[in-house]
């Protein structure tokens, strides 16, 4: 299943992009994230880490691409040694009154469908000032 979500807000696009690029900041705008284990201060392509999800559930991830010029990045997240997971692509677009952030989620319906409202809420917080 593939779903694309978007949200707009009054935060400036460079600020929203930086919220994506700093994994330690993810838990400030994504309530489903309890913490992030990552070896750098800023996302880079071909890097790995772990998100601590609800109830401390570990979710491993790999960042595939980061494009600072177009403000897009892509990664995969999975449970249980890659047994089940999703691919996610994110983008930030500057608007005259703030930002539009979008997210495409691609994966099995039982993972994607329940994640849609959570992701939509997080995108709203990401774009808020």
């Amino acid at each position: 299943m593939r779903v694309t979500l978007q949200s707009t807000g009054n935060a400036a696009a460079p600020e929203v992009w930086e919220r994506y690029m700093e994994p330690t900041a993810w838990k400030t705008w994504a309530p489903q994230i309890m913490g992030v284990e990552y070896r750098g201060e800023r996302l880079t392509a071909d890097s790995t880490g772990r998100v601590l999800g609800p109830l401390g559930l570990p979710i491993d991830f790999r960042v595939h691409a980061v494009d600072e010029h177009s403000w897009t990045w892509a990664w995969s997240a999975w449970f249980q040694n890659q047994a089940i997971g999703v691919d996610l692509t994110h983008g930030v677009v500057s608007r005259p009154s703030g930002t539009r952030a979008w997210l495409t989620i691609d994966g099995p319906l039982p993972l994607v469908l329940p994640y849609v409202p959570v992701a939509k809420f997080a995108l709203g917080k990401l774009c808020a000032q």
Side-chain angles (χ1 to χ4, degrees):
M1 174 178 197
R2 176 177 283 169
V3 175
T4 298
L5 308 170
Q6 65 178 346
S7 190
T8 60
N10 56 1
E15 180 181 340
V16 172
W17 177 249
E18 289 305 313
R19 291 176 186 169
Y20 269 142
M21 291 297 99
E22 297 174 18
T24 57
W26 292 355
K27 65 182 180 180
T28 65
W29 54 267
Q32 72 276 19
I33 295 176
M34 304 293 112
V36 177
E37 298 170 4
Y38 187 75
R39 290 189 179 219
E41 293 181 17
R42 187 172 184 81
L43 284 185
T44 59
D46 299 318
S47 61
T48 61
R50 176 174 284 169
V51 170
L52 301 176
L55 305 174
L57 177 68
I59 303 164
D60 295 317
F61 69 85
R62 173 176 295 283
V63 178
H64 301 291
V66 175
D67 187 332
E68 297 270 357
H69 179 71
S70 68
W71 286 338
T72 59
W73 68 286
W75 61 315
S76 296
W78 62 86
F79 304 95
Q80 303 170 352
N81 296 328
Q82 299 184 6
I84 185 166
V86 295
D87 295 318
L88 306 106
T89 304
H90 298 265
V92 174
V93 179
S94 183
R95 301 174 55 234
S97 60
T99 299
R100 178 176 62 88
W102 57 267
L103 161 64
T104 298
I105 311 162
D106 192 1
L109 184 132
L111 286 181
V112 174
L113 199 56
Y115 187 60
V116 166
V118 173
K120 180 71 174 167
F121 181 79
L123 279 176
K125 286 190 69 168
L126 174 70
C127 293
Q129 197 158 27

